[in-house]
Amino acid sequence: MIRMAAVAAPFGRDMAECFTRVEGLIGRARANGVQVLALPEACLGGYLANLEGDAEGPPALAADGPELRRLRDLAGDMVVCAGYCEADGDLRYNSVVCVTGDGVLGHHRKVHQPLAEDSSYAAGDGFAAFDTPAGRLGMLICYDKAFPEAARALALDGAEIVVCVSAWPASRTDPAPDLAEDRWTRRFDLFDQARALENQVVWLSANQSGSFGDLRFVGRAKIVAPGGEILAATPVEGGMAVAELDVRAALAAARRSMGHLRDRRPETYIRKPLPWTAA
C-alpha cells in the first residue's frame, strides 16, 4: 500500500514564506504516513500575476541550486514533487521536480503554454516517466493535462502514478459567484478524472488556492483511481487530499478486462485519405 497526498495551497513571491509553508506541509504529510506528496505548480516563488504577457516572473532558481537542495533535505525519505521557475542560462522554464533526500528523481518542463505564458517561460519539449521508491512516476504541469497525448505519453512510458501540479485559475470572462461551481473548476475536475481513466493510472492533482495578482485559483487537489473515481479531494479553499492505495493491484484490476493501453490500434490513428475522396 502507498499513502499519497496532493495539496492545494497559496504561494507567493516571498521564498522564506514559501519554504515555511512547504516545511509545514511536508511535516503534516509525514505525520500522516504519506510516501508521495504533490505540491502545487510554482510553489517555490509563486506563479505569474496575470496571463497578459506583462507580468513580472517569479524568482528563477537553478536546478542544482540551494533551494532545491533544501527541498531535498525536507523531503527525506518521502517522494516530493514541487513546482518552480527554473533558470537555464538566459531562459526560464515553468518546471516541476521530484525529489527525495537522496537526490533528484525526475524533472519536467511545462510543454503547453496558455494565453501569454510564453512571454515569461520557454517551453519544454517532451514527457518521460522515471522510477521512484513508490513506483514508476510521470509529471505534468497544469495546461499539459488538457492534451490527451501528454498523459498518454507518460502511460506508454510505464508511468503508474502521474502527478500533475497546477496553478489553475477560475474563469476570468464568466466567473461564477461560487468558485466551486465555476466552469474552470469543473474542467479541472473533468480533466483529472478523464486522464486517470483513459490511461488507467493513479492521478495526483495538486493546485494553488487563494488569489495572486489577477488570478483566483480553484484549489480542488485530489487523488484519482485508475477507474476515474476520486478517492480524496480538497475543497476550493485548499487543504491536503490523502488516500492509500495498492497501486499495482489497482492498475491490474482496472486493466484486466478492458486495457486501454493494451487495446490501442496506433496504426489507425494516422489520418489517411477517405476512400471516397480524390487522392
Side-chain angles (χ1 to χ4, degrees):
M1 301 292 283
I2 298 175
R3 197 163 179 84
M4 299 165 281
V7 167
F11 292 89
R13 287 287 180 265
D14 188 308
M15 193 63 71
E17 289 183 6
C18 289
F19 267 107
T20 296
R21 179 158 285 134
V22 166
E23 184 173 6
L25 289 165
I26 290 176
R28 177 181 166 190
R30 181 168 285 113
N32 278 277
V34 168
Q35 296 155 275
V36 180
L37 176 65
L39 299 170
E41 174 183 6
C43 67
L44 302 182
Y47 186 55
L48 303 174
N50 66 63
L51 290 170
E52 307 299 328
D54 58 356
E56 180 183 352
L61 311 178
D64 58 354
E67 296 85 3
L68 267 60
R69 288 197 294 273
R70 182 176 178 186
L71 181 68
R72 288 164 43 186
D73 291 342
L74 291 172
D77 60 358
M78 193 184 305
V79 176
V80 176
C81 301
Y84 73 108
C85 175
E86 177 194 356
D88 185 0
D90 293 334
L91 297 177
R92 301 292 179 265
Y93 292 92
N94 188 340
S95 296
V96 57
V97 66
C98 180
V99 302
T100 68
D102 292 331
V104 174
L105 303 177
H107 192 270
H108 172 65
R109 291 169 169 175
K110 187 175 182 179
V111 171
H112 301 97
Q113 298 176 306
L115 301 175
E117 193 184 76
D118 60 354
S119 297
S120 301
Y121 300 108
D125 59 5
F127 305 93
F130 50 92
D131 295 323
T132 79
R136 195 156 174 84
L137 190 146
M139 299 188 295
L140 301 174
I141 301 177
C142 203
Y143 194 40
D144 283 338
K145 80 169 74 179
F147 298 84
E149 300 88 347
R152 177 54 53 88
L154 293 175
L156 291 175
D157 198 25
E160 300 163 313
I161 301 169
V162 173
V163 171
C164 186
V165 305
S166 297
W168 191 280
S171 172
R172 298 179 303 154
T173 56
D174 186 22
D178 182 353
L179 185 58
E181 299 299 322
D182 191 88
R183 60 180 180 151
W184 279 96
T185 306
R186 292 196 299 272
R187 292 176 187 183
F188 186 76
D189 289 343
L190 284 170
F191 282 134
D192 285 336
Q193 291 181 267
R195 297 293 92 90
L197 174 58
E198 68 194 6
N199 293 292
Q200 297 173 312
V201 295
V202 178
W203 188 271
L204 273 65
S205 176
N207 196 23
Q208 295 254 3
S209 63
S211 298
F212 185 75
D214 296 341
L215 302 177
R216 180 177 60 149
F217 302 109
V218 307
R220 288 289 293 166
K222 66 181 71 63
I223 299 168
V224 188
E229 306 88 359
I230 296 177
L231 301 178
T234 74
V236 293
E237 292 80 12
M240 181 181 292
V242 180
E244 190 172 74
L245 194 65
D246 184 329
V247 173
R248 296 282 174 84
L251 266 60
R255 298 173 178 179
R256 184 172 297 121
S257 297
M258 299 178 67
H260 298 165
L261 302 180
R262 179 193 65 220
D263 297 338
R264 292 170 65 248
R265 296 284 306 280
E267 73 277 7
T268 70
Y269 305 149
I270 298 174
R271 183 172 178 177
K272 301 175 183 178
L274 298 174
W276 58 85
T277 60

